Amino acid sequence: MTTPTFQITSFSLGPLQTNCYLLTVQEEGTEAKRGVIIDPGMNPKRLIEKIQGVHIEAILLTHAHFDHMGGVDEVRKLAKCPVYIHDLEADWLTDPRKNGSMRWQDVTPPLSTEPAEYGLDEGQVLKLIGHSFKVLHTPGHSPGSVSFLCGEHIFSGDVLFRLSVGRTDLPGGKEVDLYHSIQNKLYKLDDATIVYSGHGPKTTIGYEKANNPYVK
Protein backbone atom coordinates (compact mmCIF):
# COMPACT_ATOMS: atom_id res chain seq x y z
CA MET A 1 0.00 0.00 0.00
CA THR A 2 1.47 3.35 -1.04
CA THR A 3 1.62 6.34 1.31
CA PRO A 4 -0.89 8.99 0.20
CA THR A 5 0.64 12.25 -0.97
CA PHE A 6 -0.55 15.27 0.97
CA GLN A 7 -1.48 18.67 -0.39
CA ILE A 8 -0.42 21.79 1.51
CA THR A 9 -2.71 24.82 1.49
CA SER A 10 -1.50 27.94 3.27
CA PHE A 11 -3.54 30.79 4.71
CA SER A 12 -2.33 34.16 5.98
CA LEU A 13 -4.65 34.85 8.90
CA GLY A 14 -5.33 37.61 11.39
CA PRO A 15 -3.85 41.06 11.97
CA LEU A 16 -0.25 39.75 12.04
CA GLN A 17 -0.67 37.76 8.81
CA THR A 18 0.20 34.48 10.51
CA ASN A 19 0.69 31.45 8.29
CA CYS A 20 -1.72 28.58 8.87
CA TYR A 21 -1.14 25.31 7.01
CA LEU A 22 -3.74 22.74 6.06
CA LEU A 23 -2.37 19.37 4.98
CA THR A 24 -4.86 17.07 3.29
CA VAL A 25 -4.84 13.62 1.73
CA GLN A 26 -7.55 12.08 -0.39
CA GLU A 27 -8.66 8.55 0.38
CA GLU A 28 -7.79 6.28 -2.53
CA GLY A 29 -10.77 5.66 -4.78
CA THR A 30 -13.06 8.05 -2.89
CA GLU A 31 -13.81 11.74 -2.54
CA ALA A 32 -13.16 11.62 1.22
CA LYS A 33 -10.33 13.76 2.60
CA ARG A 34 -8.40 13.72 5.86
CA GLY A 35 -6.42 16.66 7.16
CA VAL A 36 -4.09 18.18 9.74
CA ILE A 37 -4.02 21.88 10.64
CA ILE A 38 -0.83 23.59 11.81
CA ASP A 39 -1.39 26.90 13.67
CA PRO A 40 -5.02 27.94 13.02
CA GLY A 41 -4.16 31.60 13.63
CA MET A 42 -6.82 34.27 14.20
CA ASN A 43 -9.99 35.03 12.26
CA PRO A 44 -9.97 31.55 10.65
CA LYS A 45 -13.00 32.04 8.39
CA ARG A 46 -11.15 31.09 5.19
CA LEU A 47 -9.68 28.01 6.84
CA ILE A 48 -13.10 26.94 8.12
CA GLU A 49 -14.57 27.26 4.63
CA LYS A 50 -11.78 25.08 3.25
CA ILE A 51 -12.19 22.25 5.76
CA GLN A 52 -15.89 21.71 5.15
CA GLY A 53 -16.21 17.99 4.45
CA VAL A 54 -12.60 17.24 5.52
CA HIS A 55 -12.02 14.91 8.47
CA ILE A 56 -9.47 16.86 10.53
CA GLU A 57 -7.37 14.50 12.63
CA ALA A 58 -5.48 17.09 14.69
CA ILE A 59 -4.53 20.71 15.26
CA LEU A 60 -0.78 21.05 15.80
CA LEU A 61 0.57 24.21 17.42
CA THR A 62 4.16 25.30 16.88
CA HIS A 63 3.78 27.55 19.93
CA ALA A 64 1.11 29.41 21.88
CA HIS A 65 1.46 33.07 20.95
CA PHE A 66 -1.98 34.57 20.35
CA ASP A 67 -1.58 35.05 16.62
CA HIS A 68 -0.97 31.32 16.18
CA MET A 69 -3.62 29.96 18.57
CA GLY A 70 -6.46 32.49 18.41
CA GLY A 71 -8.64 30.30 16.18
CA VAL A 72 -8.10 27.07 18.10
CA ASP A 73 -11.44 26.78 19.86
CA GLU A 74 -13.52 27.78 16.85
CA VAL A 75 -11.78 25.26 14.60
CA ARG A 76 -11.63 22.52 17.25
CA LYS A 77 -15.36 22.83 17.94
CA LEU A 78 -16.18 22.53 14.25
CA ALA A 79 -13.73 19.73 13.45
CA LYS A 80 -14.11 17.82 16.74
CA CYS A 81 -10.39 17.09 16.80
CA PRO A 82 -7.65 17.20 19.45
CA VAL A 83 -5.07 19.95 19.90
CA TYR A 84 -1.36 19.28 20.49
CA ILE A 85 1.14 21.68 22.09
CA HIS A 86 4.46 21.38 23.89
CA ASP A 87 4.08 20.83 27.62
CA LEU A 88 6.09 23.98 28.43
CA GLU A 89 3.31 26.12 26.95
CA ALA A 90 0.28 24.08 27.95
CA ASP A 91 -0.98 26.81 30.28
CA TRP A 92 -0.37 29.59 27.74
CA LEU A 93 -3.57 28.66 25.92
CA THR A 94 -5.66 29.56 28.95
CA ASP A 95 -3.64 32.60 30.09
CA PRO A 96 -3.81 35.85 28.05
CA ARG A 97 -0.78 37.21 29.92
CA LYS A 98 1.38 34.31 28.73
CA ASN A 99 0.11 34.03 25.15
CA GLY A 100 0.71 37.74 24.62
CA SER A 101 -2.83 38.85 23.88
CA MET A 102 -3.00 40.89 27.07
CA ARG A 103 0.11 42.78 25.96
CA TRP A 104 -1.11 43.65 22.45
CA GLN A 105 -4.59 44.98 23.14
CA ASP A 106 -4.35 47.37 20.21
CA VAL A 107 -4.27 44.24 18.01
CA THR A 108 -6.52 41.79 19.83
CA PRO A 109 -8.72 41.45 22.89
CA PRO A 110 -7.37 39.09 25.57
CA LEU A 111 -7.56 35.52 24.24
CA SER A 112 -7.82 32.18 25.95
CA THR A 113 -8.87 28.73 24.80
CA GLU A 114 -9.68 25.42 26.37
CA PRO A 115 -6.55 23.37 27.25
CA ALA A 116 -4.92 21.17 24.63
CA GLU A 117 -5.77 17.49 24.66
CA TYR A 118 -2.18 16.30 24.18
CA GLY A 119 1.37 17.40 24.99
CA LEU A 120 4.39 17.29 22.71
CA ASP A 121 8.02 16.52 23.42
CA GLU A 122 11.35 16.25 21.60
CA GLY A 123 11.58 13.27 19.27
CA GLN A 124 7.91 12.34 19.52
CA VAL A 125 6.43 10.98 16.29
CA LEU A 126 2.77 11.55 15.48
CA LYS A 127 1.04 9.29 12.96
CA LEU A 128 -1.50 11.45 11.16
CA ILE A 129 -3.13 11.35 7.70
CA GLY A 130 -0.97 8.36 6.80
CA HIS A 131 2.30 10.22 7.50
CA SER A 132 4.79 10.60 10.33
CA PHE A 133 5.29 14.01 11.93
CA LYS A 134 8.45 14.19 14.03
CA VAL A 135 8.51 16.79 16.79
CA LEU A 136 11.69 18.87 17.14
CA HIS A 137 11.79 21.02 20.25
CA THR A 138 13.19 24.31 18.92
CA PRO A 139 13.03 26.87 21.76
CA GLY A 140 14.27 30.45 21.60
CA HIS A 141 11.35 32.39 20.21
CA SER A 142 9.38 30.88 23.08
CA PRO A 143 10.27 28.09 25.51
CA GLY A 144 7.87 25.53 24.05
CA SER A 145 8.39 26.27 20.36
CA VAL A 146 8.44 23.13 18.23
CA SER A 147 8.96 22.36 14.57
CA PHE A 148 7.17 19.53 12.78
CA LEU A 149 9.19 17.46 10.30
CA CYS A 150 7.23 15.44 7.75
CA GLY A 151 9.35 13.97 4.98
CA GLU A 152 11.02 16.83 3.14
CA HIS A 153 8.83 19.45 4.83
CA ILE A 154 9.53 21.30 8.11
CA PHE A 155 6.95 23.57 9.72
CA SER A 156 9.11 25.87 11.83
CA GLY A 157 6.66 28.33 13.39
CA ASP A 158 8.46 31.53 14.38
CA VAL A 159 11.94 29.98 14.69
CA LEU A 160 13.34 30.29 11.17
CA PHE A 161 12.13 32.55 8.36
CA ARG A 162 13.37 33.28 4.86
CA LEU A 163 16.48 35.40 5.48
CA SER A 164 15.44 36.02 9.07
CA VAL A 165 14.82 34.42 12.46
CA GLY A 166 12.22 34.70 15.19
CA ARG A 167 12.31 37.53 17.71
CA THR A 168 13.57 36.71 21.19
CA ASP A 169 12.48 39.79 23.14
CA LEU A 170 9.09 38.40 24.20
CA PRO A 171 8.60 36.71 27.60
CA GLY A 172 10.37 33.34 27.62
CA GLY A 173 12.44 34.15 24.54
CA LYS A 174 16.17 33.51 24.60
CA GLU A 175 18.57 34.37 21.77
CA VAL A 176 21.17 31.70 22.59
CA ASP A 177 18.46 29.02 22.56
CA LEU A 178 17.11 30.22 19.22
CA TYR A 179 20.50 30.06 17.53
CA HIS A 180 21.15 26.64 19.07
CA SER A 181 17.80 25.36 17.78
CA ILE A 182 18.53 26.54 14.26
CA GLN A 183 22.16 25.47 14.05
CA ASN A 184 21.87 22.14 15.85
CA LYS A 185 18.44 20.95 14.78
CA LEU A 186 17.12 22.72 11.68
CA TYR A 187 20.46 23.16 9.91
CA LYS A 188 21.18 19.44 10.45
CA LEU A 189 18.33 18.59 8.09
CA ASP A 190 18.88 17.91 4.40
CA ASP A 191 19.52 21.07 2.39
CA ALA A 192 16.51 20.32 0.19
CA THR A 193 14.11 20.37 3.16
CA ILE A 194 11.38 22.95 2.53
CA VAL A 195 10.78 25.35 5.43
CA TYR A 196 7.23 26.56 6.05
CA SER A 197 7.51 29.48 8.46
CA GLY A 198 4.99 31.14 10.74
CA HIS A 199 5.12 34.35 8.68
CA GLY A 200 6.26 35.14 5.17
CA PRO A 201 7.28 32.92 2.25
CA LYS A 202 8.65 29.40 2.35
CA THR A 203 12.36 28.70 1.94
CA THR A 204 14.79 25.78 2.16
CA ILE A 205 17.35 24.73 4.71
CA GLY A 206 20.12 24.94 2.13
CA TYR A 207 19.16 28.49 1.12
CA GLU A 208 19.13 29.68 4.72
CA LYS A 209 22.46 28.03 5.54
CA ALA A 210 24.01 29.89 2.61
CA ASN A 211 22.22 33.22 2.88
CA ASN A 212 20.59 33.85 6.25
CA PRO A 213 22.41 36.88 7.71
CA TYR A 214 21.54 36.00 11.32
CA VAL A 215 22.59 32.35 11.63
CA LYS A 216 25.39 30.74 9.64
Side-chain angles (χ1 to χ4, degrees):
M1 184 176 178
T2 58
T3 301
T5 302
F6 58 73
Q7 178 181 0
I8 301 174
T9 305
S10 63
F11 305 84
S12 183
L13 301 177
L16 301 187
Q17 297 293 286
T18 304
N19 288 335
C20 164
Y21 298 101
L22 170 64
L23 284 62
T24 54
V25 299
Q26 188 158 335
E27 301 283 4
E28 188 174 358
T30 76
E31 294 297 316
K33 288 185 177 181
R34 295 181 289 147
V36 168
I37 295 167
I38 299 176
D39 290 350
M42 299 172 64
N43 307 329
K45 179 181 177 182
R46 289 187 294 122
L47 169 65
I48 287 172
E49 291 171 350
K50 189 70 174 181
I51 64 174
Q52 298 296 325
V54 179
H55 173 62
I56 301 298
E57 295 186 0
I59 295 170
L60 307 181
L61 292 173
T62 61
H63 63 296
H65 283 149
F66 70 90
D67 59 312
H68 290 255
M69 50 64 76
V72 160
D73 274 352
E74 188 175 354
V75 176
R76 171 168 46 186
K77 182 179 179 180
L78 172 71
K80 297 180 174 59
C81 65
V83 174
Y84 293 75
I85 195 166
H86 193 277
D87 289 332
L88 287 175
E89 295 182 18
D91 61 343
W92 289 32
L93 293 180
T94 61
D95 190 338
R97 294 167 299 176
K98 292 185 175 180
N99 65 45
S101 58
M102 189 73 79
R103 176 176 177 172
W104 301 98
Q105 294 190 46
D106 57 331
V107 175
T108 176
L111 295 175
S112 65
T113 74
E114 293 296 316
E117 282 74 17
Y118 297 108
L120 297 169
D121 205 356
E122 169 67 26
Q124 184 176 356
V125 177
L126 306 174
K127 301 289 189 179
L128 298 165
I129 61 171
H131 290 265
S132 295
F133 292 78
K134 185 175 182 180
V135 178
L136 304 181
H137 183 209
T138 47
H141 175 66
S142 68
S145 285
V146 298
S147 299
F148 298 103
L149 178 65
C150 185
E152 62 181 11
H153 310 273
I154 185 86
F155 299 87
S156 67
D158 286 358
V159 176
L160 180 64
F161 303 112
R162 186 179 188 276
L163 298 177
S164 189
V165 297
R167 60 189 295 180
T168 58
D169 60 334
L170 299 174
K174 195 172 182 181
E175 187 175 272
V176 66
D177 288 348
L178 183 78
Y179 292 157
H180 182 274
S181 294
I182 295 171
Q183 291 173 324
N184 294 284
K185 292 189 178 177
L186 299 187
Y187 279 7
K188 298 297 184 183
L189 301 175
D190 189 278
D191 282 357
T193 303
I194 304 168
V195 180
Y196 298 84
S197 303
H199 302 270
K202 63 186 178 182
T203 184
T204 67
I205 292 295
Y207 183 83
E208 296 311 310
K209 285 165 68 175
N211 297 286
N212 194 296
Y214 297 94
V215 185
K216 295 294 186 180

